[in-house]
Amino acid sequence: MKKNTYSSEKSFLREKSFFISNAYILVGHRCEFEKKGDYKTIDFFEKSITIYKFKEKISAFTNKCVHRGCKIFTKSKGNSTFVCPYHAWSYDHLGRVKNIPFEKKAFKLNKTKIRLEEWFLDFCGDFIFLKSKKNKISLKKFLGQEFDPLLKISKNIYKCIDYQVYKWASNWQICVENSIDEYHAVFLHKTTFRNVLKLEPKYEIKNNVMKMKMPLSKNYIEKFKKIKDYFNNLNDTYMHTLFFPYSSISSTMGNSYYIQNYLPKDINNTNVTSTIYLPKSKLKKNPVIEKFFSNTCIKFNNEIFNEDKDICESIYSNVKNDNPKEHIIGNLELRINSFRKKLDKI
Ligand code: FES
Ligand SMILES: [Fe+2]
């Protein structure tokens, strides 16, 4: 069904119920959940969701204690026991209440009947995708031909170096459209992408997977030569792939990997997540250079996010009541058309 404006309540609710049943969200990588108690939270619509490593299994639950609704995890990432901070109810790997302080004195409960709301995780190699229990599509089917290449990337990642959560006052679709807009990269991002990219994108679009590859600038390739020998299997492109509708992965040369999500909070606000990873390389043996390179990646990414936040908020304040059809879309922002076409079918 075609929507009229970005701020149409009706379209938002229709898309919400569609994506809760059909979307896969790329939430992370196994390397973030190595130790028992490692966790990460994401916000999806009005819910906070925690991905948590139990003794053996990684599970996902709505971050809402069944007692009186407190958030069990208040940080976006960390390591802790699965215990609510309010009255110390604890939970097991199936989301069942394990222990209730003063249970006999305070309650008459059948503990086996109360559980946290569960979300499901599916794996592409070591990448972790989250879906709701309503989603009956397999991840293999969702990713199609991209499953194997993505699995290969996941096996090449060894370390997470950054996880950030941002709140942008913009509709989520504007944020996704910005992320698949190659055209702006060399103008808005003057101190970062302008020095890295050659604006010659090539697209490959198939169902839920919208891929883009672009050559790197001579200047960047030249500069990178200094530390090139620390890496294995580098390529000579910048790649960015959107997994419709919320998640993306990007990489420069394969020297670092960036996962991003643009998850709706409500019509006017988006929860943006960014996770950065390093590939397996000889950097591991050189902690000083690894630290330096990691900090460069984090700084580069942060700068881009701040510029994109301002732009998305500026656009949304202007186009709230526009019909997206009135906008002019060119060949250097081609995926925006594919993204809109897919949304129109919902
Ligand atoms: S709200 Fe969590 S233990 Fe009371
Ligand atoms: Fe940008």
Side-chain angles (χ1 to χ4, degrees), residues 81-92:
T81 50
F82 210 119
V83 180
C84 179
Y86 202 6
H87 314 92
W89 286 30
S90 64
Y91 295 88
D92 72 6

Side-chain angles (χ1 to χ4, degrees), residues 193-228:
F193 273 143
R194 171 178 261 169
N195 307 317
V196 173
L197 303 174
K198 208 167 159 195
L199 198 56
E200 292 168 9
K202 291 216 165 49
Y203 299 102
E204 230 178 278
I205 295 162
K206 212 160 190 201
N207 300 325
N208 302 308
V209 181
M210 303 184 184
K211 285 171 87 162
M212 186 284 303
K213 274 189 182 164
M214 186 159 31
L216 296 162
S217 72
K218 272 200 188 119
N219 193 8
Y220 179 80
I221 295 171
E222 199 51 43
K223 269 194 175 163
F224 196 74
K225 269 187 184 158
K226 281 183 214 154
I227 58 165
K228 195 173 168 247

